Amino acid sequence: METGRERVGAVWCESDYRLLFEALALGMTDEEIAAHTDREVGGVRSRALLLVNNATSKKGALPMLRRLAEAPEFDWDAWVREVHTRENLPYWDTAADKALISHWAAEPPPRIQQLCEQFGVGQDVIARRAIILGLAPTRAEVVDRFGAAPGSGLAVNAVLAKDKLAAAVAVLVVTDTTGEVLHLSLHPTTDEATTSLQDLTTTPLAEIQGRWTIGTRVVGEGSVRQTETGTWSATTEYTPAPPERPSRWRRLLRPVRQG
């Protein structure tokens, strides 16, 4: 699944507005509201400005919206729907989420052009929402399921994502307590790197105190992909992994997931 602030730049949905008005009711600051809705501060202020029909400055939009929401008769859902109608914006609500989930499970699934017509949104909105709902981890998987218009941004991004995945390698590094690299090797998958790490416990290297790291890397990306690390110790007691999973590390302690 995509990591990071996936809602940044995404279409505002019913669930996002619910988080927004929940944060307003709790008296959160602008920065706290942004974190609560998983958006940027500027994005939250811009949306609030839209909701108050540009009746104030961008910075004053959230306080004004808060005052409106404090009225006993205020219905945020009705208010938001009215704004979307006024601005001719599609409104992605719970019903749309349920429909998308149903389409994802359908055999055969509909093409993305059909979904765009049904929901009145663009391809990227469909892809982002599928990821947020946990239906797919990346846009590439969305395109595999629903397709994409040839030459569109979504289609190009899916191809690039697959190319990067194909070029990814697992890097295994073992260092001593001073940080000196004692072992470094490349592997096609993290499972194979794990097996190689396990095999190292039968070598003299197993007697050295230090740390191990396994990271998935693509040339030019830096360290943005998953990394696992832990303490390397010859005296650590080994506990077998559950039988349905590949055997894990021997003589290792306190694995910590990063990134």
Side-chain angles (χ1 to χ4, degrees):
M1 186 173 185
E2 289 195 6
T3 57
R5 302 171 67 78
E6 175 59 29
R7 285 187 173 83
V8 174
V11 65
W12 278 76
C13 303
E14 178 184 350
S15 57
D16 298 310
Y17 286 117
R18 181 176 290 107
L19 289 173
L20 170 62
F21 285 99
E22 177 182 87
L24 289 171
L26 291 172
M28 293 184 182
T29 65
D30 290 11
E31 290 73 19
E32 290 170 337
I33 293 172
H36 190 68
T37 57
D38 206 14
R39 302 269 181 170
E40 300 290 353
V41 173
V44 173
R45 287 173 173 170
S46 294
R47 182 54 46 157
L49 188 61
L50 177 73
L51 293 178
V52 298
N53 198 21
N54 298 297
T56 183
S57 66
K58 186 174 180 179
K59 193 171 182 179
L62 279 169
M64 175 176 283
L65 187 62
R66 191 193 309 275
R67 290 193 295 272
L68 287 171
E70 287 174 349
E73 69 278 8
F74 184 82
D75 181 339
W76 67 262
D77 185 66
W79 183 277
V80 168
R81 289 179 185 274
E82 183 178 331
V83 170
H84 275 247
T85 300
R86 182 189 74 218
E87 300 294 331
N88 196 29
L89 295 173
Y91 185 46
W92 193 285
D93 56 13
T94 302
D97 277 343
K98 291 179 178 178
L100 183 60
I101 292 170
S102 177
H103 288 317
W104 185 268
E107 292 294 347
R111 297 292 81 191
I112 202 163
Q113 290 87 345
Q114 297 173 260
L115 299 178
C116 291
E117 292 176 6
Q118 175 182 344
F119 297 116
V121 297
Q123 292 185 124
D124 196 57
V125 172
I126 301 292
R128 279 177 176 261
R129 198 62 194 165
I131 293 169
I132 290 172
L133 291 173
L135 300 176
T138 68
R139 284 167 175 77
E141 280 77 2
V142 175
V143 173
D144 284 344
R145 189 67 179 161
F146 290 144
S152 65
L154 180 60
V156 172
N157 285 335
V159 171
L160 292 175
K162 289 182 178 180
D163 286 346
K164 284 187 175 183
L165 183 61
V169 294
V171 182
L172 167 62
V173 181
V174 177
T175 60
D176 64 15
T177 54
T178 69
E180 181 181 353
V181 175
L182 304 176
H183 173 90
L184 189 152
S185 56
L186 302 179
H187 305 271
T189 66
T190 54
D191 283 342
E192 293 197 27
T194 297
T195 299
S196 180
L197 178 61
Q198 179 177 315
D199 291 342
L200 289 177
T201 62
T202 64
T203 71
L205 191 63
E207 303 305 319
I208 299 189
Q209 301 292 316
R211 297 192 68 79
W212 59 266
T213 300
I214 296 176
T216 303
R217 297 292 181 268
V218 173
V219 175
E221 272 195 351
S223 58
V224 298
R225 292 180 180 253
Q226 177 177 305
T227 299
E228 294 184 0
T229 186
T231 301
W232 177 263
S233 173
T235 59
T236 301
E237 192 174 313
Y238 170 64
T239 302
E244 69 273 13
R245 300 186 62 187
S247 57
R248 306 297 285 173
W249 303 273
R250 296 178 186 273
R251 304 174 185 270
L252 302 177
L253 176 65
R254 298 190 299 277
V256 178
R257 187 178 297 275
Q258 298 179 341

